[in-house]
Amino acid sequence: MSKTLLEREQEHPQTVVDERDGRRVVIMDSARWVDERNRDRDVVIPASYIGVLPARMVAMHRPRGVIGHDACVGKDGAGIAGLWYLEALGIPAATADGMSAEMGNGQDLYQSGVLSYVNYPAERCGLRAGMSVREAATILRDTEATDVEVGNKIRREIVETHPSGRRIVVTDSIVWAYPEDEGISVLVTAGHTGRSGASFLLEARPWGFICHDGGMSKNRSGIAGLQTTAEHGLAGATIDGTTAPIGDAFLGYRDGRISARNEPAAERGVEVGMAVAEAAHLLLVGGEP
Amino acid sequence: MGGDEADLQTVVFSIPRGRVVAVDSAYDVRPANRGRDVVVNASYCGVLPARFLAEHAPRAAIGVDCAIGPEGAGIAGLWYLEALGIPAAAADVATVVLGDGAEMYESARISRVNDPAARCGVEPGMAVQAAARLMLERDPEERAAADVTNRTVMHTGPDGRQIVCTDSIAFGLPHDRGRNVLCTAGHTGRSAVPYLRRVAPWGFICSDGGRGRDESGLAGLHIVEDEGLAGATVDARTARMGDGLSTYRDGVISARNVLAAERGVEVGQPARLAALALLAGNPDEESAP
């Protein structure tokens, strides 16, 4: 069997652009050029897309952090799919917006790139969409990644409160409802609203809820829970799966639109097509006897 | 939150080495499934449910693609599980009642797979039932990242020239030079140029990487023209980056260089037809393979 070009390749051009306490920021034009020099100590900035294929190449050398290019995300999210591969291995990783930096140009990525997506370990380090690649690289250089073990990660934030003590809580999954959410919180979550979601909602009994429609699915099963919960007097609505990704309630709250709502939610003024944040507010303030 | 242990899992198939269990939600995975069972769950295949699954590291998992959605969030967990060596697949949401694991096992079909699942023999279009049994009965063999090339011959012309899919131009082989049309799936920016030059295939189709700033994702097309290389790009919104077979099967041509145009390649053409046109060459060209 003859060898692929990759296996025959000797040169891995890298440029060190920054260094502190032995930890370096290293730019390069391709993820294929990450190698053993980068193990454990370097934040690598390759101007490749961060799909699963480049992620495999990068992960075997375990750099400290990775910032690549999102290739405008593309079909099936293939331009950023490697973020999730690297997350599973505890490696902080982010991508720059495809229109903020040239593909295949590590220098431009470092100087002009603006972050578009981050994985969980990178988020924990303080990286955010909208941040410059240069700033993000410095943060990854100086911050130790935490909470990198495989398993459940709870993201939860109170985004609005009401004089009554009620509040809007954004959290990625309904299974992270606390007993104190019962009758108090409008939970904005990001799992689907099918029959399994409904059973969790009936157990949590929040003041209101907005979950994801799961792309609606066969027999509109992704929103079947709306009816079940209405029968128990719970007001709720779903996020249109074409407007916000499933699994990220924070993006759902920021970008999502309502695709369906049940009768108790309609009585509080929630309408199809409405912004999720507005619908959550109506669920919060409405429903007084 | 959670429920009672055993009654949430329905054993739908069993052999001495393990079981296929159907559950309504990925949250219903249990320690008893570790290393042994294939968990068919009617949750989406995002990173969040993948974290839950990975905590108990079942033998394999099948979830729902939830229409894939923005950023591929409905299947992003496949890549998380791949990094941990767990075979995983997603079922086409249009064949699934969300939240009903047993029904999903009976009637759903696979839409997307990760690499360990592919190595068990699971393919898109397969019934979930058949896929689950393959995952239970087979162990995916270990492969180094550089060995995951997915090199596949799609077509052989009368003169022996071939159309070959492989995931990256860096996986080109010496005998591709001047002979084969390569359908690969990285971008065609400046970092791809040295690879294109060294592989120097008879023709090539790569991804446009979402084009990127200043059309940098297809800059290589015109640079390699000077060396007589005929090539085109597929629109990254139509074909998955990092998946050469998707370039060939799903891709739509977004740009081509002059030499490819002379062989009849056109913008808007399916990549499959463009590959055939590249293979046939044009009457004025040197034609010995």
Side-chain angles (χ1 to χ4, degrees):
Chain A
M1 185 70 188
S2 52
K3 286 186 167 178
T4 66
L5 182 56
L6 181 73
E7 291 163 316
R8 288 177 283 140
E9 184 170 62
Q10 302 298 321
E11 293 280 301
H12 292 171
Q14 301 189 348
T15 306
V16 178
V17 290
D18 195 12
E19 180 164 4
R20 182 175 170 185
D21 303 332
R23 298 188 296 260
R24 311 182 303 170
V25 176
V26 182
I27 63 174
M28 60 197 89
D29 290 348
S30 172
R32 292 180 291 258
W33 299 338
V34 173
D35 62 27
E36 281 304 301
R37 288 174 285 177
N38 308 119
R39 182 172 290 275
D40 297 327
R41 67 169 172 163
D42 294 341
V43 177
V44 296
I45 307 191
S48 291
Y49 70 105
I50 302 298
V52 177
L53 186 153
R56 290 188 198 117
M57 306 283 170
V58 169
M60 60 190 183
H61 303 296
R62 285 210 70 93
R64 178 179 180 83
V66 181
I67 305 176
H69 193 280
D70 75 10
C72 299
V73 185
K75 185 174 170 70
D76 292 358
I80 62 170
L83 294 179
W84 325 123
Y85 184 100
L86 294 168
E87 172 174 330
L89 302 174
I91 300 175
T95 54
D97 183 295
M99 299 311 279
S100 70
E102 286 188 8
M103 303 215 67
N105 183 344
Q107 185 74 37
D108 189 50
L109 176 61
Y110 182 63
Q111 283 173 348
S112 326
V114 176
L115 294 199
S116 56
Y117 297 98
V118 302
N119 67 8
Y120 182 79
E123 183 181 314
R124 293 277 301 179
C125 288
L127 268 52
R128 296 287 181 270
M131 188 176 269
S132 74
V133 167
R134 189 187 275 263
E135 182 187 358
T138 305
I139 291 173
L140 290 182
R141 183 197 66 188
D142 296 340
T143 313
E144 294 305 321
T146 55
D147 197 12
V148 294
E149 306 76 32
V150 165
N152 187 9
K153 311 292 172 193
I154 296 178
R155 298 160 83 224
R156 180 183 162 104
E157 197 177 311
I158 294 170
V159 294
E160 187 180 342
T161 53
H162 185 261
S164 67
R166 296 197 300 264
R167 68 267 178 102
I168 298 174
V169 176
V170 178
T171 189
D172 292 331
S173 173
I174 186 65
V175 300
W176 295 334
Y178 291 118
E180 56 266 35
D181 291 320
E182 184 171 341
I184 296 286
S185 301
V186 173
L187 294 175
V188 178
T189 75
H192 68 76
T193 318
R195 69 174 203 173
S196 50
S199 65
F200 293 121
L201 284 162
L202 293 178
E203 203 175 325
R205 299 199 62 83
W207 177 251
F209 68 87
I210 301 180
C211 304
H212 197 271
D213 72 11
M216 288 287 182
S217 307
K218 185 174 167 186
N219 303 334
R220 292 171 69 83
S221 53
I223 61 167
L226 284 182
Q227 184 56 38
T228 321
T229 49
E231 287 161 10
H232 291 80
L234 289 186
T238 54
I239 301 171
D240 181 340
T242 63
T243 63
I246 193 163
D248 189 331
F250 293 84
L251 287 181
Y253 184 73
R254 194 190 76 185
D255 301 335
R257 320 286 305 186
I258 298 298
S259 61
R261 86 286 198 232
N262 64 15
E263 198 46 44
E267 284 166 12
R268 295 192 202 171
V270 175
E271 287 174 24
V272 171
M274 190 174 263
V276 167
E278 186 186 355
H281 176 76
L282 290 172
L283 287 172
L284 179 72
V285 301
E288 300 283 2
Chain B
M1 290 179 62
D4 294 333
E5 291 292 311
D7 54 350
L8 294 172
Q9 301 202 339
T10 307
V11 178
V12 289
F13 186 70
S14 184
I15 57 174
R17 77 195 311 244
R19 310 168 301 172
V20 178
V21 298
V23 292
D24 288 351
S25 165
Y27 307 126
D28 301 333
V29 66
R30 291 291 176 261
N33 303 129
R34 179 174 292 273
R36 181 164 88 113
D37 298 335
V38 178
V39 178
V40 176
N41 65 91
S43 291
Y44 67 107
C45 284
V47 175
L48 189 153
R51 292 188 195 120
F52 278 87
L53 287 161
E55 202 158 274
H56 297 304
R59 178 187 295 280
I62 304 179
V64 185
D65 72 14
C66 283
I68 300 172
E71 289 102 46
I75 58 168
L78 298 180
W79 325 124
Y80 184 99
L81 294 171
E82 173 170 332
L84 304 172
I86 300 175
D92 179 347
V93 76
T95 68
V96 169
V97 172
L98 279 171
D100 186 341
E103 207 272 350
M104 177 179 158
Y105 178 72
E106 288 303 320
S107 57
R109 305 199 81 82
I110 300 295
S111 66
R112 297 286 188 273
V113 303
N114 69 9
D115 189 64
R119 280 182 273 137
C120 292
V122 179
E123 291 176 7
M126 192 174 267
V128 165
Q129 235 178 73
R133 291 183 189 193
L134 283 174
M135 289 164 143
L136 179 61
E137 288 159 4
R138 297 187 183 177
D139 295 309
E141 97 255 29
E142 290 283 330
R143 287 202 293 190
D147 294 336
V148 187
T149 66
N150 292 313
R151 188 180 172 97
T152 312
V153 175
M154 307 309 294
H155 180 82
T156 303
D159 53 3
R161 291 185 196 285
Q162 295 181 317
I163 297 173
V164 177
C165 291
T166 189
D167 292 344
S168 167
I169 186 66
F171 298 144
L173 294 174
H175 68 262
D176 292 323
R177 173 176 284 271
R179 177 170 180 268
N180 293 334
V181 173
L182 294 183
C183 296
T184 72
H187 66 77
T188 317
R190 67 174 208 174
S191 55
V193 169
Y195 294 93
L196 286 166
R197 281 184 177 143
R198 289 173 61 197
V199 178
W202 172 245
F204 67 87
I205 303 178
C206 306
S207 175
D208 69 13
R211 290 184 177 259
R213 211 184 79 213
D214 302 330
E215 306 251 86
S216 51
L218 44 88
L221 276 186
H222 307 292
I223 302 173
V224 301
E225 222 164 51
D226 297 340
E227 277 115 285
L229 297 182
T233 55
V234 291
D235 185 330
R237 293 170 300 183
T238 65
R240 288 185 289 283
M241 290 192 76
D243 182 345
L245 283 167
S246 179
T247 295
Y248 179 79
R249 289 174 177 157
D250 307 323
V252 174
I253 300 297
S254 58
R256 85 281 202 235
N257 65 18
V258 170
L259 298 169
E262 284 171 3
R263 294 193 197 168
V265 175
E266 288 174 31
V267 172
Q269 193 172 37
R272 197 168 30 83
L273 298 181
L276 281 172
L278 285 170
L279 190 73
N282 91 45
D284 303 332
E285 277 176 291
E286 182 76 43
S287 67

